[in-house]
Amino acid sequence: MTLDWQGARQDTPGCETVLHFNNAGAALMPESVLEAVVGHLQLEAQIGGYEAAAQQFEAVERVYDAVATLLGCQRQEVAMIENATRAWDMGFYSVPLGKGDRCASSH
C-alpha cells in the first residue's frame, strides 16, 4: 500500500497556510474528514444525536474493518477511543498491578 502524500496535502486545506507539527495532539483535517464531521453535526441538528448515530451505525462499523485491514489485524483487535490520552489511560489501567509492583523507565 502506498500513500499519495501530494494528494493528501492537497486534500488538507490547512497545508496551504501553516506548517503544523502538533500532529500527535490534533492533526490538520483533510477535506473529507471536515465534510464528514460537519455533515454529521448538521444531521444531528436535524434529527437528533441518537437518531443520527443509529443512521450512521453501518458506516461507523466499516471503520473497524478498514483499520484492521490497514494494520493487518482482526476487527476485534481494533478499539476506537476519543483521544490518545484516554486510550493510553485505558491500556495502562488494564494492567493488573498489585502491591509491590513497580513501573520502571528504560532510561
Side-chain angles (χ1 to χ4, degrees), residues 25-50:
L28 296 174
M29 282 188 217
E31 193 67 37
S32 56
V33 172
L34 180 60
E35 289 172 5
V37 170
V38 171
H40 190 79
L41 287 173
Q42 289 172 334
L43 183 61
E44 283 190 8
Q46 293 171 359
I47 66 173
Y50 292 124

PDB file of all heavy atoms in Angstrom, residues 25-50:
ATOM      1  N   GLY A  25      -1.238  15.717  18.846  1.00  0.00           N
ATOM      2  CA  GLY A  25      -2.339  16.296  19.610  1.00  0.00           C
ATOM      3  C   GLY A  25      -3.592  16.450  18.784  1.00  0.00           C
ATOM      4  O   GLY A  25      -4.677  16.039  19.185  1.00  0.00           O
ATOM      5  N   ALA A  26      -3.465  17.035  17.627  1.00  0.00           N
ATOM      6  CA  ALA A  26      -4.622  17.253  16.747  1.00  0.00           C
ATOM      7  C   ALA A  26      -4.106  17.671  15.380  1.00  0.00           C
ATOM      8  O   ALA A  26      -3.760  18.814  15.156  1.00  0.00           O
ATOM      9  CB  ALA A  26      -5.527  18.337  17.315  1.00  0.00           C
ATOM     10  N   ALA A  27      -4.059  16.725  14.481  1.00  0.00           N
ATOM     11  CA  ALA A  27      -3.548  16.983  13.134  1.00  0.00           C
ATOM     12  C   ALA A  27      -4.523  17.846  12.340  1.00  0.00           C
ATOM     13  O   ALA A  27      -5.697  17.958  12.685  1.00  0.00           O
ATOM     14  CB  ALA A  27      -3.308  15.662  12.403  1.00  0.00           C
ATOM     15  N   LEU A  28      -4.030  18.449  11.283  1.00  0.00           N
ATOM     16  CA  LEU A  28      -4.903  19.192  10.377  1.00  0.00           C
ATOM     17  C   LEU A  28      -5.867  18.215   9.719  1.00  0.00           C
ATOM     18  O   LEU A  28      -5.481  17.113   9.326  1.00  0.00           O
ATOM     19  CB  LEU A  28      -4.068  19.889   9.295  1.00  0.00           C
ATOM     20  CG  LEU A  28      -3.100  20.963   9.778  1.00  0.00           C
ATOM     21  CD1 LEU A  28      -2.243  21.432   8.597  1.00  0.00           C
ATOM     22  CD2 LEU A  28      -3.845  22.129  10.392  1.00  0.00           C
ATOM     23  N   MET A  29      -7.121  18.616   9.585  1.00  0.00           N
ATOM     24  CA  MET A  29      -8.121  17.738   8.982  1.00  0.00           C
ATOM     25  C   MET A  29      -8.101  17.831   7.470  1.00  0.00           C
ATOM     26  O   MET A  29      -8.105  18.927   6.922  1.00  0.00           O
ATOM     27  CB  MET A  29      -9.529  18.159   9.425  1.00  0.00           C
ATOM     28  CG  MET A  29      -9.917  17.732  10.775  1.00  0.00           C
ATOM     29  SD  MET A  29     -11.666  18.122  10.999  1.00  0.00           S
ATOM     30  CE  MET A  29     -11.628  18.605  12.701  1.00  0.00           C
ATOM     31  N   PRO A  30      -8.128  16.674   6.801  1.00  0.00           N
ATOM     32  CA  PRO A  30      -8.336  16.709   5.356  1.00  0.00           C
ATOM     33  C   PRO A  30      -9.792  17.099   5.072  1.00  0.00           C
ATOM     34  O   PRO A  30     -10.667  16.973   5.930  1.00  0.00           O
ATOM     35  CB  PRO A  30      -8.038  15.290   4.896  1.00  0.00           C
ATOM     36  CG  PRO A  30      -8.091  14.446   6.103  1.00  0.00           C
ATOM     37  CD  PRO A  30      -7.872  15.331   7.291  1.00  0.00           C
ATOM     38  N   GLU A  31     -10.041  17.547   3.875  1.00  0.00           N
ATOM     39  CA  GLU A  31     -11.380  17.985   3.468  1.00  0.00           C
ATOM     40  C   GLU A  31     -12.429  16.898   3.707  1.00  0.00           C
ATOM     41  O   GLU A  31     -13.538  17.185   4.167  1.00  0.00           O
ATOM     42  CB  GLU A  31     -11.366  18.401   1.996  1.00  0.00           C
ATOM     43  CG  GLU A  31     -12.590  19.141   1.551  1.00  0.00           C
ATOM     44  CD  GLU A  31     -12.737  20.522   2.187  1.00  0.00           C
ATOM     45  OE1 GLU A  31     -11.730  21.211   2.389  1.00  0.00           O
ATOM     46  OE2 GLU A  31     -13.886  20.900   2.477  1.00  0.00           O
ATOM     47  N   SER A  32     -12.074  15.642   3.439  1.00  0.00           N
ATOM     48  CA  SER A  32     -13.042  14.550   3.612  1.00  0.00           C
ATOM     49  C   SER A  32     -13.470  14.395   5.069  1.00  0.00           C
ATOM     50  O   SER A  32     -14.638  14.126   5.355  1.00  0.00           O
ATOM     51  CB  SER A  32     -12.456  13.238   3.080  1.00  0.00           C
ATOM     52  OG  SER A  32     -11.225  12.950   3.724  1.00  0.00           O
ATOM     53  N   VAL A  33     -12.544  14.579   6.001  1.00  0.00           N
ATOM     54  CA  VAL A  33     -12.880  14.491   7.426  1.00  0.00           C
ATOM     55  C   VAL A  33     -13.725  15.691   7.833  1.00  0.00           C
ATOM     56  O   VAL A  33     -14.735  15.548   8.534  1.00  0.00           O
ATOM     57  CB  VAL A  33     -11.608  14.392   8.293  1.00  0.00           C
ATOM     58  CG1 VAL A  33     -11.932  14.500   9.778  1.00  0.00           C
ATOM     59  CG2 VAL A  33     -10.871  13.100   7.998  1.00  0.00           C
ATOM     60  N   LEU A  34     -13.331  16.868   7.389  1.00  0.00           N
ATOM     61  CA  LEU A  34     -14.092  18.081   7.695  1.00  0.00           C
ATOM     62  C   LEU A  34     -15.533  17.947   7.215  1.00  0.00           C
ATOM     63  O   LEU A  34     -16.484  18.229   7.958  1.00  0.00           O
ATOM     64  CB  LEU A  34     -13.416  19.298   7.054  1.00  0.00           C
ATOM     65  CG  LEU A  34     -14.077  20.644   7.282  1.00  0.00           C
ATOM     66  CD1 LEU A  34     -14.156  20.976   8.761  1.00  0.00           C
ATOM     67  CD2 LEU A  34     -13.311  21.719   6.529  1.00  0.00           C
ATOM     68  N   GLU A  35     -15.712  17.475   5.981  1.00  0.00           N
ATOM     69  CA  GLU A  35     -17.061  17.300   5.432  1.00  0.00           C
ATOM     70  C   GLU A  35     -17.866  16.275   6.233  1.00  0.00           C
ATOM     71  O   GLU A  35     -19.055  16.478   6.499  1.00  0.00           O
ATOM     72  CB  GLU A  35     -16.982  16.866   3.967  1.00  0.00           C
ATOM     73  CG  GLU A  35     -16.516  17.961   3.037  1.00  0.00           C
ATOM     74  CD  GLU A  35     -16.266  17.458   1.621  1.00  0.00           C
ATOM     75  OE1 GLU A  35     -16.551  16.273   1.334  1.00  0.00           O
ATOM     76  OE2 GLU A  35     -15.772  18.254   0.803  1.00  0.00           O
ATOM     77  N   ALA A  36     -17.227  15.181   6.635  1.00  0.00           N
ATOM     78  CA  ALA A  36     -17.924  14.150   7.405  1.00  0.00           C
ATOM     79  C   ALA A  36     -18.355  14.670   8.768  1.00  0.00           C
ATOM     80  O   ALA A  36     -19.490  14.439   9.206  1.00  0.00           O
ATOM     81  CB  ALA A  36     -17.035  12.916   7.560  1.00  0.00           C
ATOM     82  N   VAL A  37     -17.473  15.406   9.455  1.00  0.00           N
ATOM     83  CA  VAL A  37     -17.797  15.924  10.788  1.00  0.00           C
ATOM     84  C   VAL A  37     -18.901  16.976  10.709  1.00  0.00           C
ATOM     85  O   VAL A  37     -19.892  16.915  11.450  1.00  0.00           O
ATOM     86  CB  VAL A  37     -16.536  16.493  11.479  1.00  0.00           C
ATOM     87  CG1 VAL A  37     -16.886  17.240  12.755  1.00  0.00           C
ATOM     88  CG2 VAL A  37     -15.548  15.375  11.782  1.00  0.00           C
ATOM     89  N   VAL A  38     -18.744  17.937   9.811  1.00  0.00           N
ATOM     90  CA  VAL A  38     -19.759  18.984   9.665  1.00  0.00           C
ATOM     91  C   VAL A  38     -21.086  18.369   9.216  1.00  0.00           C
ATOM     92  O   VAL A  38     -22.153  18.716   9.739  1.00  0.00           O
ATOM     93  CB  VAL A  38     -19.286  20.081   8.688  1.00  0.00           C
ATOM     94  CG1 VAL A  38     -20.412  21.047   8.355  1.00  0.00           C
ATOM     95  CG2 VAL A  38     -18.103  20.832   9.291  1.00  0.00           C
ATOM     96  N   GLY A  39     -21.029  17.436   8.285  1.00  0.00           N
ATOM     97  CA  GLY A  39     -22.244  16.776   7.818  1.00  0.00           C
ATOM     98  C   GLY A  39     -22.954  16.038   8.936  1.00  0.00           C
ATOM     99  O   GLY A  39     -24.186  16.078   9.047  1.00  0.00           O
ATOM    100  N   HIS A  40     -22.197  15.373   9.789  1.00  0.00           N
ATOM    101  CA  HIS A  40     -22.818  14.651  10.894  1.00  0.00           C
ATOM    102  C   HIS A  40     -23.428  15.618  11.908  1.00  0.00           C
ATOM    103  O   HIS A  40     -24.529  15.368  12.424  1.00  0.00           O
ATOM    104  CB  HIS A  40     -21.834  13.711  11.588  1.00  0.00           C
ATOM    105  CG  HIS A  40     -22.514  12.800  12.562  1.00  0.00           C
ATOM    106  ND1 HIS A  40     -23.189  11.672  12.167  1.00  0.00           N
ATOM    107  CD2 HIS A  40     -22.661  12.883  13.902  1.00  0.00           C
ATOM    108  CE1 HIS A  40     -23.719  11.092  13.227  1.00  0.00           C
ATOM    109  NE2 HIS A  40     -23.412  11.805  14.289  1.00  0.00           N
ATOM    110  N   LEU A  41     -22.745  16.710  12.185  1.00  0.00           N
ATOM    111  CA  LEU A  41     -23.309  17.710  13.099  1.00  0.00           C
ATOM    112  C   LEU A  41     -24.605  18.293  12.542  1.00  0.00           C
ATOM    113  O   LEU A  41     -25.575  18.514  13.279  1.00  0.00           O
ATOM    114  CB  LEU A  41     -22.296  18.829  13.374  1.00  0.00           C
ATOM    115  CG  LEU A  41     -21.132  18.448  14.269  1.00  0.00           C
ATOM    116  CD1 LEU A  41     -20.119  19.590  14.333  1.00  0.00           C
ATOM    117  CD2 LEU A  41     -21.612  18.071  15.663  1.00  0.00           C
ATOM    118  N   GLN A  42     -24.637  18.518  11.234  1.00  0.00           N
ATOM    119  CA  GLN A  42     -25.865  19.010  10.616  1.00  0.00           C
ATOM    120  C   GLN A  42     -26.982  17.972  10.712  1.00  0.00           C
ATOM    121  O   GLN A  42     -28.133  18.313  10.981  1.00  0.00           O
ATOM    122  CB  GLN A  42     -25.610  19.406   9.160  1.00  0.00           C
ATOM    123  CG  GLN A  42     -24.771  20.657   9.038  1.00  0.00           C
ATOM    124  CD  GLN A  42     -24.352  20.956   7.617  1.00  0.00           C
ATOM    125  OE1 GLN A  42     -24.248  20.066   6.776  1.00  0.00           O
ATOM    126  NE2 GLN A  42     -24.111  22.233   7.341  1.00  0.00           N
ATOM    127  N   LEU A  43     -26.632  16.692  10.529  1.00  0.00           N
ATOM    128  CA  LEU A  43     -27.619  15.633  10.663  1.00  0.00           C
ATOM    129  C   LEU A  43     -28.149  15.578  12.094  1.00  0.00           C
ATOM    130  O   LEU A  43     -29.359  15.453  12.311  1.00  0.00           O
ATOM    131  CB  LEU A  43     -27.001  14.286  10.257  1.00  0.00           C
ATOM    132  CG  LEU A  43     -27.921  13.075  10.283  1.00  0.00           C
ATOM    133  CD1 LEU A  43     -29.089  13.254   9.298  1.00  0.00           C
ATOM    134  CD2 LEU A  43     -27.134  11.807   9.970  1.00  0.00           C
ATOM    135  N   GLU A  44     -27.273  15.687  13.082  1.00  0.00           N
ATOM    136  CA  GLU A  44     -27.706  15.704  14.482  1.00  0.00           C
ATOM    137  C   GLU A  44     -28.645  16.872  14.750  1.00  0.00           C
ATOM    138  O   GLU A  44     -29.636  16.717  15.476  1.00  0.00           O
ATOM    139  CB  GLU A  44     -26.504  15.791  15.426  1.00  0.00           C
ATOM    140  CG  GLU A  44     -25.760  14.497  15.599  1.00  0.00           C
ATOM    141  CD  GLU A  44     -24.741  14.553  16.711  1.00  0.00           C
ATOM    142  OE1 GLU A  44     -24.699  15.554  17.476  1.00  0.00           O
ATOM    143  OE2 GLU A  44     -23.965  13.588  16.846  1.00  0.00           O
ATOM    144  N   ALA A  45     -28.340  18.023  14.183  1.00  0.00           N
ATOM    145  CA  ALA A  45     -29.193  19.200  14.381  1.00  0.00           C
ATOM    146  C   ALA A  45     -30.579  18.980  13.785  1.00  0.00           C
ATOM    147  O   ALA A  45     -31.570  19.512  14.289  1.00  0.00           O
ATOM    148  CB  ALA A  45     -28.539  20.436  13.765  1.00  0.00           C
ATOM    149  N   GLN A  46     -30.658  18.188  12.724  1.00  0.00           N
ATOM    150  CA  GLN A  46     -31.934  17.952  12.045  1.00  0.00           C
ATOM    151  C   GLN A  46     -32.759  16.842  12.687  1.00  0.00           C
ATOM    152  O   GLN A  46     -33.985  16.966  12.799  1.00  0.00           O
ATOM    153  CB  GLN A  46     -31.688  17.594  10.570  1.00  0.00           C
ATOM    154  CG  GLN A  46     -31.134  18.735   9.759  1.00  0.00           C
ATOM    155  CD  GLN A  46     -30.688  18.291   8.378  1.00  0.00           C
ATOM    156  OE1 GLN A  46     -30.785  17.117   8.026  1.00  0.00           O
ATOM    157  NE2 GLN A  46     -30.183  19.228   7.597  1.00  0.00           N
ATOM    158  N   ILE A  47     -32.113  15.750  13.106  1.00  0.00           N
ATOM    159  CA  ILE A  47     -32.902  14.608  13.576  1.00  0.00           C
ATOM    160  C   ILE A  47     -32.569  14.170  15.000  1.00  0.00           C
ATOM    161  O   ILE A  47     -33.240  13.303  15.548  1.00  0.00           O
ATOM    162  CB  ILE A  47     -32.772  13.397  12.617  1.00  0.00           C
ATOM    163  CG1 ILE A  47     -31.345  12.839  12.604  1.00  0.00           C
ATOM    164  CG2 ILE A  47     -33.236  13.762  11.218  1.00  0.00           C
ATOM    165  CD1 ILE A  47     -31.192  11.537  11.811  1.00  0.00           C
ATOM    166  N   GLY A  48     -31.530  14.730  15.610  1.00  0.00           N
ATOM    167  CA  GLY A  48     -31.136  14.353  16.971  1.00  0.00           C
ATOM    168  C   GLY A  48     -29.900  13.470  16.977  1.00  0.00           C
ATOM    169  O   GLY A  48     -29.626  12.753  16.007  1.00  0.00           O
ATOM    170  N   GLY A  49     -29.167  13.526  18.084  1.00  0.00           N
ATOM    171  CA  GLY A  49     -27.897  12.806  18.198  1.00  0.00           C
ATOM    172  C   GLY A  49     -28.022  11.298  18.153  1.00  0.00           C
ATOM    173  O   GLY A  49     -27.277  10.628  17.438  1.00  0.00           O
ATOM    174  N   TYR A  50     -28.949  10.746  18.931  1.00  0.00           N
ATOM    175  CA  TYR A  50     -29.098   9.285  18.942  1.00  0.00           C
ATOM    176  C   TYR A  50     -29.582   8.771  17.596  1.00  0.00           C
ATOM    177  O   TYR A  50     -29.151   7.724  17.119  1.00  0.00           O
ATOM    178  CB  TYR A  50     -30.062   8.843  20.047  1.00  0.00           C
ATOM    179  CG  TYR A  50     -29.520   9.081  21.440  1.00  0.00           C
ATOM    180  CD1 TYR A  50     -30.225   9.837  22.359  1.00  0.00           C
ATOM    181  CD2 TYR A  50     -28.295   8.538  21.836  1.00  0.00           C
ATOM    182  CE1 TYR A  50     -29.730  10.051  23.639  1.00  0.00           C
ATOM    183  CE2 TYR A  50     -27.793   8.751  23.107  1.00  0.00           C
ATOM    184  CZ  TYR A  50     -28.516   9.507  24.012  1.00  0.00           C
ATOM    185  OH  TYR A  50     -28.022   9.716  25.264  1.00  0.00           O
TER     186      TYR A  50
END
